[in-house]
Amino acid sequence: MGAEVDPANGTTTRPFVVAVADFEDSYFPAHSRSINQWLTDVRSRVHPDVVLTQARFDVHQDQREVNQLTWNVFRDHLVLECRPEMGRRPLPAQCLSCRSRPTCWNAR
């Protein structure tokens, strides 16, 4: 997968790559070594501009594990954390209980 030059404006584009693996749900902490190796293999095959991962304060243990491993393996890359709401109410702009952060995970 090499870069392509857009003839219209001369910019270089790279293909969009999404890597997906099949690990057993609810057991990611127990499979940390295998997941770390998989992420390391992905890193060796692609050179991402941006890496997306779950938010570090997610309540599910699998998402927290993926977050920690992603930051470890891709520590020299731009890593963005995301948290799909999946039907949950959005967080307030400021937590009314602590007022210390723009968004607070205690405001659930």
Side-chain angles (χ1 to χ4, degrees):
M1 285 190 230
E4 298 177 11
V5 177
D6 184 348
N9 59 16
T11 60
T12 304
T13 60
R14 292 181 9 178
F16 185 82
V17 177
V18 176
V20 179
D22 187 24
F23 292 99
E24 187 177 3
D25 288 346
S26 300
Y27 294 95
F28 282 27
H31 298 291
S32 182
R33 184 173 290 191
S34 298
I35 296 169
N36 188 45
Q37 183 59 52
W38 182 82
L39 288 169
T40 302
D41 292 343
V42 169
R43 186 188 64 200
S44 70
R45 291 192 317 266
V46 298
H47 303 284
D49 294 321
V50 177
V51 178
L52 302 177
T53 191
Q54 294 286 338
R56 74 185 74 201
F57 299 114
D58 198 293
V59 295
H60 196 280
Q61 65 185 11
D62 289 355
Q63 279 80 16
R64 287 192 313 266
E65 188 70 24
V66 168
N67 173 278
Q68 292 171 0
L69 293 170
T70 301
W71 277 105
N72 183 39
V73 172
F74 292 98
R75 61 186 159 269
D76 295 334
H77 294 76
L78 173 60
V79 177
L80 300 178
E81 296 181 3
C82 58
R83 183 177 183 273
E85 288 303 322
M86 311 258 309
R88 297 179 184 163
R89 67 179 172 81
L91 294 174
Q94 185 176 24
C95 176
L96 299 176
S97 63
C98 69
R99 298 187 187 274
S100 64
R101 293 182 258 169
T103 58
C104 176
W105 296 97
N106 296 324
R108 293 182 187 202

